[in-house]
């Protein structure tokens, strides 16, 4: 079974003359799974079409933002309306506060926020604020968590850094990361030890409350509560990085799902409705330390961009108005998909385990529980690559890395789930 990819192939070759690896973000090059990365022509609902006319059922959804699928009519209409009025002004527009009001209502821990253009900017700025507010230098992150590509946060990171098996990034002087402590996820004693060793020196703990960037890895029961208690006890700020989980695992994010009140939250992906938006926010007291009210500088030409705000408002309004139906339905559908694929693997004798939180999930090619980076790393990535190629050949688009989460949208149907499980049965049978 193989698709025709002639046009994709020649366009990829052209792209390689312009971009490193032919891509503008490394994981898109499919290097970890092998095979040709198709060039996408369009998307509609749960499907994407490549330039050669092949259709794919999409479980990546632009790496999370597209909760309503591709070209959701509400989002398309809102962007078109905003577009007709002007694409960017470098001055404030009313839509910024409209989107902020929706965020603040959904996230009670956020009184004030700042819009930026990416998750990377959001986490980098939140950390700057945390250091300023505490007058401390050290930060704690967790192995396998990814918080964007700023220097201090690439240490033992997930996502592409994990996918390519590199410890961090070249070009980051060791002096720039000497205040970054990378600890194992889901491990309370390791955090206690760090607090004892760096007493009164840790500005913040930044964490993906449900990790998406080493594949989906949920917090063990009580873990986030322990992190919250320890940070509070030590005068350290807790930053929940909800770029992936915000408006995804629940309307109010992981902090609503697990009942955790962080000091700062970072958001992105879903809040931009598929356009580039990030945000960081927290109490008014903390956020008022940001320029021009306070001494912490952060700025952006396209921050609060009117098209992105319009897309975000349409997305959050639609999700908010239908949240009682959307989130439970996605959870049930995802559970059915996850169980169906596990069953298919079992029948074929392929070792596979899975993690799922709401509409975020990962199947790991392993026969042990995956709860941190040390348990994620030994998964059979070669087998994952063969599985990925087999599924793609059958029109199923999965994340091109063992260490990325897959997602569902409201555009996916029960028939899509059945079709995906049937495709997986064929692929698992061919893996022997
Ligand atoms: N931050 C996204 C989820 N891991 C990946 C996007 C990318 O690296 O292109």
């Amino acid at each position: 079974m193989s698709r025709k990819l002639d046009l994709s192939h020649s366009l990829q070759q052209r792209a390689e003359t312009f971009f490193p690896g032919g891509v503008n973000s490394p994981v898109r090059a499919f290097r970890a799974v092998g095979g040709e990365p198709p060039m996408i022509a369009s998307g509609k609902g749960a499907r994407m079409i490549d330039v050669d006319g092949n259709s794919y059922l999409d479980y990546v959804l632009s790496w999370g933002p597209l909760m309503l699928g591709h070209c959701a009519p509400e989002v398309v209409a809102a962007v078109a309306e905003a577009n007709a009025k002007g694409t960017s002004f470098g001055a404030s527009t009313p839509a910024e506060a409209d989107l902020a009001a929706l965020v603040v209502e959904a996230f009670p821990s956020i009184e004030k926020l700042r819009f930026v253009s990416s998750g990377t900017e959001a986490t980098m700025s939140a950390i700057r604020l945390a250091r300023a507010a505490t007058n401390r230098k050290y930060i704690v992150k967790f192995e396998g968590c990814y918080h964007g590509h700023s220097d201090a946060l690439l240490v033992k990171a997930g996502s592409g850094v994990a996918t390519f098996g590199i410890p961090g990034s070249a070009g980051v002087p060791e002096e720039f990361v000497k205040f970054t402590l990378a600890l194992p996820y889901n491990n309370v004693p390791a955090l206690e030890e760090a607090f004892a060793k760096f007493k009164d020196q840790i500005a913040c703990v930044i964490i993906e409350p449900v990790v998406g960037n080493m594949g989906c890895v949920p917090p063990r029961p009580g873990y986030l509560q322990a992190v919250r208690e320890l940070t509070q006890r030590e005068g350290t700020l807790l930053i929940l990085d909800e770029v992936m989980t915000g408006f995804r695992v629940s309307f109010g994010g992981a902090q609503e799902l697990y009942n955790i009140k962080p000091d700062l939250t970072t958001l992105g992906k879903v809040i931009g409705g598929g356009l580039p938006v990030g945000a960081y926010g927290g109490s008014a007291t903390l956020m008022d330390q940001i320029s021009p009210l306070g001494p912490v500088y952060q700025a952006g030409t396209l921050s609060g961009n009117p098209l992105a705000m319009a897309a975000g408002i349409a997305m959050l309004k639609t999700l908010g108005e239908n949240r009682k139906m959307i989130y439970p339905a996605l959870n049930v559908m995802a559970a059915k998909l996850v169980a169906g694929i596990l069953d298919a693997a079992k029948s074929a004798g392929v070792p596979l385990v899975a993690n799922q939180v709401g509409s975020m999930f990962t199947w790991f090619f392993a026969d042990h529980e995956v709860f941190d980076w040390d348990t994620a790393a030994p998964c059979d990535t070669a087998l994952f690559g063969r599985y990925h190629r087999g599924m793609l050949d059958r029109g199923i688009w999965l994340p091109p890395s063992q260490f990325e989460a897959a997602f569902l949208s409201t555009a996916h149907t029960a028939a899509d789930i059945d079709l995906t499980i049937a495709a997986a049965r064929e692929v698992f049978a061919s893996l022997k």
Side-chain angles (χ1 to χ4, degrees), residues 3-13 16 28-31 33-39 50 52 56 388-389 392-393 397 400:
R3 295 153 293 138
K4 205 167 80 51
L5 283 173
D6 300 347
L7 192 50
S8 270
H9 180 74
S10 64
L11 289 171
Q12 176 65 19
Q13 282 188 322
E16 283 173 18
R28 294 179 197 171
F30 278 37
R31 294 277 160 107
V33 288
E36 297 250 6
M39 280 268 169
D50 72 19
D52 289 284
Y56 304 94
H388 185 274
R389 293 195 294 279
L392 201 62
D393 269 343
W397 188 284

PDB file of all heavy atoms in Angstrom, residues 3-13 16 28-31 33-39 50 52 56 388-389 392-393 397 400:
ATOM      1  N   ARG A   3       1.086   5.603  -1.177  1.00  0.00           N
ATOM      2  CA  ARG A   3       0.457   6.781  -1.789  1.00  0.00           C
ATOM      3  C   ARG A   3       1.394   7.387  -2.806  1.00  0.00           C
ATOM      4  O   ARG A   3       2.602   7.260  -2.707  1.00  0.00           O
ATOM      5  CB  ARG A   3       0.205   7.833  -0.703  1.00  0.00           C
ATOM      6  CG  ARG A   3      -0.774   7.461   0.345  1.00  0.00           C
ATOM      7  CD  ARG A   3      -0.453   8.203   1.631  1.00  0.00           C
ATOM      8  NE  ARG A   3       0.815   7.745   2.199  1.00  0.00           N
ATOM      9  CZ  ARG A   3       1.730   8.517   2.712  1.00  0.00           C
ATOM     10  NH1 ARG A   3       1.547   9.813   2.772  1.00  0.00           N
ATOM     11  NH2 ARG A   3       2.855   8.024   3.197  1.00  0.00           N
ATOM     12  N   LYS A   4       0.816   8.091  -3.747  1.00  0.00           N
ATOM     13  CA  LYS A   4       1.608   8.852  -4.693  1.00  0.00           C
ATOM     14  C   LYS A   4       1.975  10.168  -4.001  1.00  0.00           C
ATOM     15  O   LYS A   4       1.113  10.853  -3.458  1.00  0.00           O
ATOM     16  CB  LYS A   4       0.757   9.127  -5.935  1.00  0.00           C
ATOM     17  CG  LYS A   4       1.552   9.367  -7.210  1.00  0.00           C
ATOM     18  CD  LYS A   4       0.646   9.315  -8.426  1.00  0.00           C
ATOM     19  CE  LYS A   4      -0.133  10.574  -8.691  1.00  0.00           C
ATOM     20  NZ  LYS A   4       0.443  11.856  -8.749  1.00  0.00           N
ATOM     21  N   LEU A   5       3.262  10.481  -3.978  1.00  0.00           N
ATOM     22  CA  LEU A   5       3.686  11.714  -3.305  1.00  0.00           C
ATOM     23  C   LEU A   5       4.589  12.544  -4.216  1.00  0.00           C
ATOM     24  O   LEU A   5       5.461  13.277  -3.733  1.00  0.00           O
ATOM     25  CB  LEU A   5       4.438  11.369  -2.012  1.00  0.00           C
ATOM     26  CG  LEU A   5       3.611  10.932  -0.805  1.00  0.00           C
ATOM     27  CD1 LEU A   5       4.505  10.454   0.329  1.00  0.00           C
ATOM     28  CD2 LEU A   5       2.706  12.053  -0.301  1.00  0.00           C
ATOM     29  N   ASP A   6       4.382  12.423  -5.523  1.00  0.00           N
ATOM     30  CA  ASP A   6       5.307  13.061  -6.468  1.00  0.00           C
ATOM     31  C   ASP A   6       5.429  14.567  -6.253  1.00  0.00           C
ATOM     32  O   ASP A   6       6.528  15.114  -6.162  1.00  0.00           O
ATOM     33  CB  ASP A   6       4.855  12.804  -7.917  1.00  0.00           C
ATOM     34  CG  ASP A   6       4.808  11.320  -8.231  1.00  0.00           C
ATOM     35  OD1 ASP A   6       5.364  10.545  -7.421  1.00  0.00           O
ATOM     36  OD2 ASP A   6       4.204  10.938  -9.247  1.00  0.00           O
ATOM     37  N   LEU A   7       4.283  15.225  -6.151  1.00  0.00           N
ATOM     38  CA  LEU A   7       4.322  16.684  -6.006  1.00  0.00           C
ATOM     39  C   LEU A   7       4.887  17.076  -4.635  1.00  0.00           C
ATOM     40  O   LEU A   7       5.705  17.999  -4.530  1.00  0.00           O
ATOM     41  CB  LEU A   7       2.913  17.253  -6.221  1.00  0.00           C
ATOM     42  CG  LEU A   7       2.805  18.763  -6.396  1.00  0.00           C
ATOM     43  CD1 LEU A   7       3.781  19.290  -7.440  1.00  0.00           C
ATOM     44  CD2 LEU A   7       1.371  19.145  -6.787  1.00  0.00           C
ATOM     45  N   SER A   8       4.451  16.348  -3.606  1.00  0.00           N
ATOM     46  CA  SER A   8       5.017  16.601  -2.261  1.00  0.00           C
ATOM     47  C   SER A   8       6.528  16.484  -2.298  1.00  0.00           C
ATOM     48  O   SER A   8       7.256  17.301  -1.745  1.00  0.00           O
ATOM     49  CB  SER A   8       4.502  15.569  -1.256  1.00  0.00           C
ATOM     50  OG  SER A   8       3.328  15.996  -0.644  1.00  0.00           O
ATOM     51  N   HIS A   9       6.993  15.433  -2.971  1.00  0.00           N
ATOM     52  CA  HIS A   9       8.428  15.173  -3.032  1.00  0.00           C
ATOM     53  C   HIS A   9       9.164  16.347  -3.680  1.00  0.00           C
ATOM     54  O   HIS A   9      10.157  16.843  -3.141  1.00  0.00           O
ATOM     55  CB  HIS A   9       8.671  13.872  -3.805  1.00  0.00           C
ATOM     56  CG  HIS A   9      10.114  13.521  -3.929  1.00  0.00           C
ATOM     57  ND1 HIS A   9      10.861  13.037  -2.868  1.00  0.00           N
ATOM     58  CD2 HIS A   9      10.977  13.627  -4.977  1.00  0.00           C
ATOM     59  CE1 HIS A   9      12.106  12.845  -3.255  1.00  0.00           C
ATOM     60  NE2 HIS A   9      12.207  13.197  -4.537  1.00  0.00           N
ATOM     61  N   SER A  10       8.656  16.816  -4.816  1.00  0.00           N
ATOM     62  CA  SER A  10       9.396  17.887  -5.499  1.00  0.00           C
ATOM     63  C   SER A  10       9.278  19.201  -4.710  1.00  0.00           C
ATOM     64  O   SER A  10      10.231  19.981  -4.646  1.00  0.00           O
ATOM     65  CB  SER A  10       8.951  18.049  -6.958  1.00  0.00           C
ATOM     66  OG  SER A  10       7.617  18.453  -6.995  1.00  0.00           O
ATOM     67  N   LEU A  11       8.143  19.427  -4.066  1.00  0.00           N
ATOM     68  CA  LEU A  11       8.015  20.653  -3.258  1.00  0.00           C
ATOM     69  C   LEU A  11       8.905  20.591  -2.011  1.00  0.00           C
ATOM     70  O   LEU A  11       9.451  21.606  -1.562  1.00  0.00           O
ATOM     71  CB  LEU A  11       6.552  20.877  -2.865  1.00  0.00           C
ATOM     72  CG  LEU A  11       5.647  21.307  -4.025  1.00  0.00           C
ATOM     73  CD1 LEU A  11       4.185  21.290  -3.605  1.00  0.00           C
ATOM     74  CD2 LEU A  11       6.026  22.698  -4.523  1.00  0.00           C
ATOM     75  N   GLN A  12       9.052  19.377  -1.475  1.00  0.00           N
ATOM     76  CA  GLN A  12       9.943  19.222  -0.318  1.00  0.00           C
ATOM     77  C   GLN A  12      11.389  19.505  -0.734  1.00  0.00           C
ATOM     78  O   GLN A  12      12.136  20.180  -0.024  1.00  0.00           O
ATOM     79  CB  GLN A  12       9.810  17.806   0.265  1.00  0.00           C
ATOM     80  CG  GLN A  12      10.765  17.472   1.415  1.00  0.00           C
ATOM     81  CD  GLN A  12      10.542  18.307   2.681  1.00  0.00           C
ATOM     82  OE1 GLN A  12       9.480  18.897   2.868  1.00  0.00           O
ATOM     83  NE2 GLN A  12      11.560  18.378   3.528  1.00  0.00           N
ATOM     84  N   GLN A  13      11.762  19.006  -1.907  1.00  0.00           N
ATOM     85  CA  GLN A  13      13.133  19.262  -2.394  1.00  0.00           C
ATOM     86  C   GLN A  13      13.357  20.763  -2.582  1.00  0.00           C
ATOM     87  O   GLN A  13      14.400  21.301  -2.214  1.00  0.00           O
ATOM     88  CB  GLN A  13      13.355  18.530  -3.714  1.00  0.00           C
ATOM     89  CG  GLN A  13      13.607  17.042  -3.474  1.00  0.00           C
ATOM     90  CD  GLN A  13      14.022  16.325  -4.730  1.00  0.00           C
ATOM     91  OE1 GLN A  13      13.515  16.607  -5.810  1.00  0.00           O
ATOM     92  NE2 GLN A  13      14.934  15.384  -4.580  1.00  0.00           N
ATOM     93  N   GLU A  16      13.818  22.352   0.721  1.00  0.00           N
ATOM     94  CA  GLU A  16      15.129  22.079   1.321  1.00  0.00           C
ATOM     95  C   GLU A  16      16.202  23.050   0.839  1.00  0.00           C
ATOM     96  O   GLU A  16      17.232  23.216   1.488  1.00  0.00           O
ATOM     97  CB  GLU A  16      15.525  20.616   1.074  1.00  0.00           C
ATOM     98  CG  GLU A  16      14.762  19.700   2.020  1.00  0.00           C
ATOM     99  CD  GLU A  16      14.940  18.217   1.764  1.00  0.00           C
ATOM    100  OE1 GLU A  16      15.907  17.834   1.076  1.00  0.00           O
ATOM    101  OE2 GLU A  16      14.089  17.443   2.257  1.00  0.00           O
ATOM    102  N   ARG A  28       8.498  18.516  11.832  1.00  0.00           N
ATOM    103  CA  ARG A  28       7.730  18.394  10.583  1.00  0.00           C
ATOM    104  C   ARG A  28       8.487  17.623   9.502  1.00  0.00           C
ATOM    105  O   ARG A  28       7.891  17.228   8.499  1.00  0.00           O
ATOM    106  CB  ARG A  28       7.409  19.783  10.022  1.00  0.00           C
ATOM    107  CG  ARG A  28       6.481  20.575  10.898  1.00  0.00           C
ATOM    108  CD  ARG A  28       6.240  21.947  10.293  1.00  0.00           C
ATOM    109  NE  ARG A  28       5.684  22.825  11.298  1.00  0.00           N
ATOM    110  CZ  ARG A  28       5.512  24.127  11.142  1.00  0.00           C
ATOM    111  NH1 ARG A  28       5.857  24.705  10.008  1.00  0.00           N
ATOM    112  NH2 ARG A  28       5.002  24.856  12.104  1.00  0.00           N
ATOM    113  N   ALA A  29       9.798  17.470   9.695  1.00  0.00           N
ATOM    114  CA  ALA A  29      10.610  16.810   8.662  1.00  0.00           C
ATOM    115  C   ALA A  29      10.469  15.291   8.697  1.00  0.00           C
ATOM    116  O   ALA A  29      10.999  14.607   7.819  1.00  0.00           O
ATOM    117  CB  ALA A  29      12.067  17.209   8.808  1.00  0.00           C
ATOM    118  N   PHE A  30       9.776  14.751   9.717  1.00  0.00           N
ATOM    119  CA  PHE A  30       9.520  13.303   9.807  1.00  0.00           C
ATOM    120  C   PHE A  30      10.815  12.494   9.967  1.00  0.00           C
ATOM    121  O   PHE A  30      10.827  11.305   9.665  1.00  0.00           O
ATOM    122  CB  PHE A  30       8.759  12.808   8.558  1.00  0.00           C
ATOM    123  CG  PHE A  30       7.268  13.045   8.605  1.00  0.00           C
ATOM    124  CD1 PHE A  30       6.735  14.185   9.157  1.00  0.00           C
ATOM    125  CD2 PHE A  30       6.385  12.106   8.074  1.00  0.00           C
ATOM    126  CE1 PHE A  30       5.366  14.411   9.186  1.00  0.00           C
ATOM    127  CE2 PHE A  30       5.010  12.309   8.099  1.00  0.00           C
ATOM    128  CZ  PHE A  30       4.509  13.470   8.652  1.00  0.00           C
ATOM    129  N   ARG A  31      11.908  13.146  10.398  1.00  0.00           N
ATOM    130  CA  ARG A  31      13.183  12.423  10.482  1.00  0.00           C
ATOM    131  C   ARG A  31      13.124  11.271  11.479  1.00  0.00           C
ATOM    132  O   ARG A  31      13.841  10.287  11.349  1.00  0.00           O
ATOM    133  CB  ARG A  31      14.318  13.374  10.879  1.00  0.00           C
ATOM    134  CG  ARG A  31      14.630  14.434   9.847  1.00  0.00           C
ATOM    135  CD  ARG A  31      15.544  13.888   8.761  1.00  0.00           C
ATOM    136  NE  ARG A  31      15.461  14.710   7.566  1.00  0.00           N
ATOM    137  CZ  ARG A  31      16.425  15.548   7.153  1.00  0.00           C
ATOM    138  NH1 ARG A  31      17.544  15.646   7.827  1.00  0.00           N
ATOM    139  NH2 ARG A  31      16.265  16.252   6.062  1.00  0.00           N
ATOM    140  N   VAL A  33      10.631   9.290  12.097  1.00  0.00           N
ATOM    141  CA  VAL A  33       9.787   8.152  11.700  1.00  0.00           C
ATOM    142  C   VAL A  33      10.129   7.654  10.308  1.00  0.00           C
ATOM    143  O   VAL A  33       9.680   6.573   9.892  1.00  0.00           O
ATOM    144  CB  VAL A  33       8.274   8.516  11.756  1.00  0.00           C
ATOM    145  CG1 VAL A  33       7.820   8.640  13.196  1.00  0.00           C
ATOM    146  CG2 VAL A  33       7.964   9.783  10.982  1.00  0.00           C
ATOM    147  N   GLY A  34      10.924   8.408   9.585  1.00  0.00           N
ATOM    148  CA  GLY A  34      11.267   8.019   8.213  1.00  0.00           C
ATOM    149  C   GLY A  34      10.106   8.319   7.280  1.00  0.00           C
ATOM    150  O   GLY A  34       9.028   8.718   7.700  1.00  0.00           O
ATOM    151  N   GLY A  35      10.347   8.129   6.017  1.00  0.00           N
ATOM    152  CA  GLY A  35       9.290   8.392   5.039  1.00  0.00           C
ATOM    153  C   GLY A  35       9.256   9.860   4.656  1.00  0.00           C
ATOM    154  O   GLY A  35       9.933  10.702   5.255  1.00  0.00           O
ATOM    155  N   GLU A  36       8.461  10.132   3.652  1.00  0.00           N
ATOM    156  CA  GLU A  36       8.386  11.492   3.095  1.00  0.00           C
ATOM    157  C   GLU A  36       7.349  12.320   3.847  1.00  0.00           C
ATOM    158  O   GLU A  36       6.223  11.850   4.042  1.00  0.00           O
ATOM    159  CB  GLU A  36       7.903  11.412   1.647  1.00  0.00           C
ATOM    160  CG  GLU A  36       8.846  10.675   0.740  1.00  0.00           C
ATOM    161  CD  GLU A  36       9.520  11.614  -0.240  1.00  0.00           C
ATOM    162  OE1 GLU A  36       9.328  12.840  -0.128  1.00  0.00           O
ATOM    163  OE2 GLU A  36      10.239  11.107  -1.099  1.00  0.00           O
ATOM    164  N   PRO A  37       7.677  13.549   4.225  1.00  0.00           N
ATOM    165  CA  PRO A  37       6.636  14.393   4.824  1.00  0.00           C
ATOM    166  C   PRO A  37       5.731  14.960   3.720  1.00  0.00           C
ATOM    167  O   PRO A  37       6.222  15.684   2.851  1.00  0.00           O
ATOM    168  CB  PRO A  37       7.420  15.513   5.496  1.00  0.00           C
ATOM    169  CG  PRO A  37       8.752  15.530   4.839  1.00  0.00           C
ATOM    170  CD  PRO A  37       8.985  14.205   4.187  1.00  0.00           C
ATOM    171  N   PRO A  38       4.438  14.625   3.722  1.00  0.00           N
ATOM    172  CA  PRO A  38       3.562  15.191   2.701  1.00  0.00           C
ATOM    173  C   PRO A  38       3.422  16.701   2.880  1.00  0.00           C
ATOM    174  O   PRO A  38       3.463  17.204   4.002  1.00  0.00           O
ATOM    175  CB  PRO A  38       2.210  14.500   2.963  1.00  0.00           C
ATOM    176  CG  PRO A  38       2.540  13.294   3.782  1.00  0.00           C
ATOM    177  CD  PRO A  38       3.736  13.669   4.595  1.00  0.00           C
ATOM    178  N   MET A  39       3.286  17.399   1.775  1.00  0.00           N
ATOM    179  CA  MET A  39       3.008  18.850   1.804  1.00  0.00           C
ATOM    180  C   MET A  39       1.500  19.013   1.848  1.00  0.00           C
ATOM    181  O   MET A  39       0.786  18.418   1.018  1.00  0.00           O
ATOM    182  CB  MET A  39       3.494  19.512   0.523  1.00  0.00           C
ATOM    183  CG  MET A  39       4.947  19.789   0.487  1.00  0.00           C
ATOM    184  SD  MET A  39       5.300  21.447   1.098  1.00  0.00           S
ATOM    185  CE  MET A  39       7.078  21.304   1.239  1.00  0.00           C
ATOM    186  N   ASP A  50      -3.255  16.414   1.030  1.00  0.00           N
ATOM    187  CA  ASP A  50      -1.929  16.870   0.601  1.00  0.00           C
ATOM    188  C   ASP A  50      -1.965  17.324  -0.859  1.00  0.00           C
ATOM    189  O   ASP A  50      -2.994  17.185  -1.542  1.00  0.00           O
ATOM    190  CB  ASP A  50      -0.845  15.813   0.903  1.00  0.00           C
ATOM    191  CG  ASP A  50      -0.914  14.588  -0.004  1.00  0.00           C
ATOM    192  OD1 ASP A  50      -1.522  14.670  -1.080  1.00  0.00           O
ATOM    193  OD2 ASP A  50      -0.332  13.547   0.375  1.00  0.00           O
ATOM    194  N   ASP A  52      -0.778  16.126  -3.427  1.00  0.00           N
ATOM    195  CA  ASP A  52      -1.006  15.061  -4.420  1.00  0.00           C
ATOM    196  C   ASP A  52      -2.428  14.525  -4.364  1.00  0.00           C
ATOM    197  O   ASP A  52      -2.767  13.575  -5.080  1.00  0.00           O
ATOM    198  CB  ASP A  52      -0.015  13.909  -4.181  1.00  0.00           C
ATOM    199  CG  ASP A  52       1.401  14.314  -4.556  1.00  0.00           C
ATOM    200  OD1 ASP A  52       1.702  14.364  -5.751  1.00  0.00           O
ATOM    201  OD2 ASP A  52       2.189  14.615  -3.644  1.00  0.00           O
ATOM    202  N   TYR A  56      -6.012  12.577   4.698  1.00  0.00           N
ATOM    203  CA  TYR A  56      -5.551  12.052   5.994  1.00  0.00           C
ATOM    204  C   TYR A  56      -6.528  12.419   7.100  1.00  0.00           C
ATOM    205  O   TYR A  56      -6.971  13.570   7.178  1.00  0.00           O
ATOM    206  CB  TYR A  56      -4.187  12.647   6.369  1.00  0.00           C
ATOM    207  CG  TYR A  56      -3.118  12.437   5.330  1.00  0.00           C
ATOM    208  CD1 TYR A  56      -2.867  13.414   4.366  1.00  0.00           C
ATOM    209  CD2 TYR A  56      -2.375  11.258   5.291  1.00  0.00           C
ATOM    210  CE1 TYR A  56      -1.897  13.226   3.397  1.00  0.00           C
ATOM    211  CE2 TYR A  56      -1.403  11.064   4.318  1.00  0.00           C
ATOM    212  CZ  TYR A  56      -1.169  12.044   3.377  1.00  0.00           C
ATOM    213  OH  TYR A  56      -0.212  11.865   2.414  1.00  0.00           O
ATOM    214  N   HIS A 388       4.003   4.274  12.361  1.00  0.00           N
ATOM    215  CA  HIS A 388       3.620   5.587  11.851  1.00  0.00           C
ATOM    216  C   HIS A 388       3.498   5.559  10.330  1.00  0.00           C
ATOM    217  O   HIS A 388       2.513   6.043   9.752  1.00  0.00           O
ATOM    218  CB  HIS A 388       4.656   6.643  12.283  1.00  0.00           C
ATOM    219  CG  HIS A 388       4.270   8.034  11.899  1.00  0.00           C
ATOM    220  ND1 HIS A 388       4.563   8.584  10.667  1.00  0.00           N
ATOM    221  CD2 HIS A 388       3.571   8.978  12.568  1.00  0.00           C
ATOM    222  CE1 HIS A 388       4.071   9.804  10.605  1.00  0.00           C
ATOM    223  NE2 HIS A 388       3.467  10.077  11.740  1.00  0.00           N
ATOM    224  N   ARG A 389       4.483   4.954   9.665  1.00  0.00           N
ATOM    225  CA  ARG A 389       4.462   4.917   8.194  1.00  0.00           C
ATOM    226  C   ARG A 389       3.276   4.087   7.689  1.00  0.00           C
ATOM    227  O   ARG A 389       2.618   4.452   6.721  1.00  0.00           O
ATOM    228  CB  ARG A 389       5.788   4.354   7.651  1.00  0.00           C
ATOM    229  CG  ARG A 389       6.971   5.276   7.920  1.00  0.00           C
ATOM    230  CD  ARG A 389       8.187   4.900   7.089  1.00  0.00           C
ATOM    231  NE  ARG A 389       8.766   3.599   7.420  1.00  0.00           N
ATOM    232  CZ  ARG A 389       9.597   3.359   8.428  1.00  0.00           C
ATOM    233  NH1 ARG A 389       9.950   4.343   9.227  1.00  0.00           N
ATOM    234  NH2 ARG A 389      10.089   2.155   8.643  1.00  0.00           N
ATOM    235  N   LEU A 392       0.125   6.133   8.132  1.00  0.00           N
ATOM    236  CA  LEU A 392       0.084   7.232   7.156  1.00  0.00           C
ATOM    237  C   LEU A 392      -0.312   6.693   5.778  1.00  0.00           C
ATOM    238  O   LEU A 392      -1.103   7.318   5.064  1.00  0.00           O
ATOM    239  CB  LEU A 392       1.463   7.908   7.102  1.00  0.00           C
ATOM    240  CG  LEU A 392       1.499   9.326   6.551  1.00  0.00           C
ATOM    241  CD1 LEU A 392       0.685  10.288   7.410  1.00  0.00           C
ATOM    242  CD2 LEU A 392       2.942   9.827   6.463  1.00  0.00           C
ATOM    243  N   ASP A 393       0.221   5.539   5.433  1.00  0.00           N
ATOM    244  CA  ASP A 393      -0.144   4.909   4.146  1.00  0.00           C
ATOM    245  C   ASP A 393      -1.634   4.601   4.076  1.00  0.00           C
ATOM    246  O   ASP A 393      -2.197   4.500   2.991  1.00  0.00           O
ATOM    247  CB  ASP A 393       0.637   3.605   3.964  1.00  0.00           C
ATOM    248  CG  ASP A 393       1.952   3.844   3.244  1.00  0.00           C
ATOM    249  OD1 ASP A 393       2.094   4.910   2.617  1.00  0.00           O
ATOM    250  OD2 ASP A 393       2.833   2.963   3.321  1.00  0.00           O
ATOM    251  N   TRP A 397      -3.076  10.280  10.064  1.00  0.00           N
ATOM    252  CA  TRP A 397      -1.963  11.206  10.366  1.00  0.00           C
ATOM    253  C   TRP A 397      -1.761  11.262  11.879  1.00  0.00           C
ATOM    254  O   TRP A 397      -2.578  11.841  12.608  1.00  0.00           O
ATOM    255  CB  TRP A 397      -2.304  12.587   9.819  1.00  0.00           C
ATOM    256  CG  TRP A 397      -1.199  13.595   9.890  1.00  0.00           C
ATOM    257  CD1 TRP A 397      -0.762  14.271  10.983  1.00  0.00           C
ATOM    258  CD2 TRP A 397      -0.395  14.065   8.796  1.00  0.00           C
ATOM    259  NE1 TRP A 397       0.247  15.124  10.654  1.00  0.00           N
ATOM    260  CE2 TRP A 397       0.497  15.028   9.321  1.00  0.00           C
ATOM    261  CE3 TRP A 397      -0.343  13.770   7.421  1.00  0.00           C
ATOM    262  CZ2 TRP A 397       1.427  15.701   8.509  1.00  0.00           C
ATOM    263  CZ3 TRP A 397       0.588  14.452   6.634  1.00  0.00           C
ATOM    264  CH2 TRP A 397       1.453  15.393   7.176  1.00  0.00           C
ATOM    265  N   PRO A 400       4.475  12.642  14.235  1.00  0.00           N
ATOM    266  CA  PRO A 400       5.638  11.933  13.695  1.00  0.00           C
ATOM    267  C   PRO A 400       6.755  11.755  14.727  1.00  0.00           C
ATOM    268  O   PRO A 400       7.928  11.980  14.437  1.00  0.00           O
ATOM    269  CB  PRO A 400       6.078  12.833  12.534  1.00  0.00           C
ATOM    270  CG  PRO A 400       5.623  14.192  12.925  1.00  0.00           C
ATOM    271  CD  PRO A 400       4.388  14.034  13.746  1.00  0.00           C
TER     272      PRO A 400
END
